[in-house]
DNA sequence: ATTTAATAGTTCAACTATTTAACTATCTAC
DNA sequence: GTAGATAGTTAAATAGTTGAACTATTAAAT
């Protein structure tokens, strides 16, 4: 690829990713309950999908410090959406799981978000969206790799 | 597309977009000066690309309320990175422009981010990245349309 | 011309998210 | 047993965001 085209693609990617993210987040936020924030929802999502997880795991996945996770999960705990359980073999470790209420709320919210995303996905033809997802997955892998390389610096 | 596959694609899109955004943002944040936040940088970026803009425009582009913009631009103003100029024909309107310092800082930072994004983009073959960008653009258009439709509700 | 309605941006208070630094257990390695 | 490392928490400070109210200012209606 000629250098000039790379420059254009890079610029386009930066602008698109910014805008897609902003609008995407705003649309998702409208599907949330008034007392659940976007970060909180994604946290419930991760816990739901993994049945249980630790603060360190969340900190890694969300690319933030452990103390940020503590603040968010304390709010979720205060709302009765998650519970904390100490690991019996390593008392430093706390497992986070969803309460019944947390489970219900998550599922209701996620259903609304699914509907939203579905309305968007179905505007693409099948071949195009499959190719897009495949490249998105590759992008994800490249970003993960880049993140790991920078951690080693 | 069969319903089941739609469900899979939707779920995959939600997970990927969350993760790509989180990691992408973390990587970008590492290219910033220690006293410039991600939001502030993107604001400088928008002002730079448009030479001048209003708070309302920024609020629309960033999908936030005008008061959020006021808070951010006041911080940028305090740092000497932008200036405010009242429109002479409509005294309610304030135009935001970059100062020389703001300009310099933006360009330096953006160069580092470009390098980062370039290192990622060049991991794709030309055909794939061109197709990806094309679909990303379409996604952007669909999201914009969806946002507009929801504003009318 | 006057009044009412709408708009741009600001202010304020409250809340959420994030960081850093320090801390309290707890575990691991020697 | 001691030193070092780790998981998660605490506290303070900063940034971002919302909703409500506000101050001009402009536009529309009367």
């Amino acid at each position: 690829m000629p250098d000039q085209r790379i420059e254009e693609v890079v610029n386009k990617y930066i602008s698109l990713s910014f805008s897609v993210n902003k609008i995407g987040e705003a649309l998702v936020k409208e599907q949330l309950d008034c007392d659940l924030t976007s970060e909180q929802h994604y946290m419930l999502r991760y816990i739901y999908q993994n049945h249980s997880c630790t603060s360190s795991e969340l900190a890694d996945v969300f690319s933030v410090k452990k103390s940020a996770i503590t603040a968010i999960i304390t709010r979720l705990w205060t709302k009765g959406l998650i519970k904390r359980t100490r690991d019996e073999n390593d008392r430093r470790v706390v497992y986070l799981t969803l309460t019944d209420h947390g489970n219900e709320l998550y599922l209701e919210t996620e259903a609304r978000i699914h509907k939203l995303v579905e309305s968007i996905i179905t505007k693409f033809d099948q071949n195009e969206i499959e190719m897009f997802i495949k490249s998105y997955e590759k992008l994800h892998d490249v970003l993960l790799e880049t993140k790991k390389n920078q951690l080693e610096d």
Side-chain angles (χ1 to χ4, degrees), chain A residues 83-120:
Chain A
K83 56 187 160 184
R84 289 163 155 124
T85 312
R86 279 228 175 245
D87 183 326
E88 292 186 353
N89 299 312
D90 183 343
R91 307 290 294 170
R92 298 172 303 179
V93 177
V94 176
Y95 291 107
L96 307 167
T97 51
L98 296 187
T99 61
D100 288 344
H101 181 216
N103 218 60
E104 276 169 39
L105 182 61
Y106 165 71
L107 289 174
E108 285 165 16
T109 308
E110 186 74 358
R112 290 197 293 274
I113 295 174
H114 261 248
K115 247 180 114 184
L116 165 73
V117 175
E118 188 174 317
S119 78
I120 286 154

Side-chain angles (χ1 to χ4, degrees), chain A residues 120-131:
Chain A
I120 286 154
I121 294 290
T122 48
K123 295 220 167 64
F124 288 75
D125 82 52
Q126 178 165 4
N127 187 54
E128 188 176 8
I129 199 65
E130 295 282 359
M131 298 284 288

